Amino acid sequence: MEKIAIIDLGSNTARLLLIEVKENGHFQIIDQLKEAPRLGEEMERDGFLKPQRIQETIRVLKMFRKLCDANGIERIIAVATAAVRRAKNQRSFLDEVSATCGIKLRVLSAEEEAMYVYRGVINTMDVPKGIILEIGGGSTKIVYYNRRNLLNYETLPFGAITLTELFKNDGLTPDQQAVKVEEFFTEQLKKVEWLKDVDPEAQMIGVGGSFRNICRMTKIMKKYPLRAIHNYVVNDNDFNHVYDLIKGLDLDRKKKIKGLSIGRADILPSALAAISAFKKYMNLGNVIISASGLRTGILFNYAVPQTLDKPITDVLSYSLNTLTDFYGCNQAHTNHVVNLAVQLFKQLRVLHKFPRQYLKILKVAAHMYETGRTVGFYNFEKHSGYIVLNAQINGISHRDLVMASFVVSSSAIEDINLIDWARYRDLVGDEDIDAVKKMGVMLRLADSFDRSLSSVVSGINCDILGDSVIMKTEVEGDASLELNSAIQISADFRKIFKKNLEIL
């Protein structure tokens, strides 16, 4: 295992990630730090990074270096983006950082930056057609892909800081500034010819701090029950509500809004105006928030080099395998339980009548079923359910995550806590309880059929005759432990499926 750090020095913020990378390509973030030194502030006048901003940035990078040393980091990958890329005093700044902080910054080209953003998104989201918008402090990236293949990208030489500075001294009210930013941004979009050829079915994906702030604010307003940002959907009405609220407020009042970062309060209105202009120009509605972008793209390129040529094919499975590896699960047992759960889902389809997408929920539950044992054996299912909700699982919607969590934690019919269930009423309904119970029984049966961790039960065939289900097992060796364990579940099966269960 190797410990690495990634430093992303942007025009507004500087971010540090500490990561453990295993030989098999799986990785986990173990710490992070974020500061807002505003390196790109006021450089639009003459193209020079200002001394005060440089000193503040060096102060931040020294803190980053101290945290890296404290954690035994073996390799630091440090990159700088738009502000440093355009700075006339770039060389002297890079030399000063190297001499004072011991950090060698690599200045990314606009193309490299766009590619890393794309790879960060495509390897963590299951969205076949997407138009990615990232509004940084000093630049804006637009990336279009279809069928997970990159088709076009554009980097515009302005971001939230530069757009704010462009109109702040014109004597305009906040509302008028927002209108000016929208008009300016729309004119710039008209110059990007390929935007006219974007598939109308492409979904908008938002990357970066401004989108994360929008996510946090809308979640607070709606009392959203999940902390997860990745894959959160900001609908058109919620975005417009936040935009209308923010654009007319003075700075002091903006700083008091819950979910809005104080370090971004003055520049967020410009970012919102740009997003609004983009949505209108492209005729887009909802925005899917990605918590993964440039830094994640760099990480995938380092830990999983094959993603340089081709993105991960099955985002969900890769994410689940990373987590089961992290929690020390028996991988062979986990994979076999998943396989048996899939067989049961298909064999019992005439009874449960679930659509195919429910199979994804069951797969997640089967993969994560054992993870809670790292907390403790007793009630491990509850611990596993908590992990499903709080570990970032990529390639799945928030609704499906909630469903999978309850499938895992519902070890018996009585264990579904309706008060807990009601917390997620915006994502699931009462009609979903039946699905959770049925998939919970399927999961427990699948786990029982590999009780000895030896894959002795290789297949399952079900015959449904009248009021009974005859479950025939294909075995390779002594399966007495497995059959005895599975029979213990027959009473719950009868309660939930309204059928007697016979296991042969």
Side-chain angles (χ1 to χ4, degrees), residues 73 119 128 146 161 197 202 232 242 244 281 284 296 311 390 403 434 438 442 447 504:
I73 295 300
R119 288 172 181 153
N146 199 334
I161 290 178
D197 301 322
Y232 177 79
V242 169
D244 291 340
Y281 185 77
L284 294 165
T296 308
N390 291 277
M403 294 276 285
D434 180 63
K438 287 177 178 175
M442 286 186 265
D447 185 64
L504 305 176

Side-chain angles (χ1 to χ4, degrees), residues 199-219:
D199 190 322
E201 293 184 358
Q203 295 177 272
M204 181 177 172
I205 299 170
V207 176
S210 295
F211 282 104
R212 288 192 293 271
N213 267 251
I214 296 168
C215 172
R216 283 193 289 268
M217 284 187 286
T218 58
K219 286 168 68 174

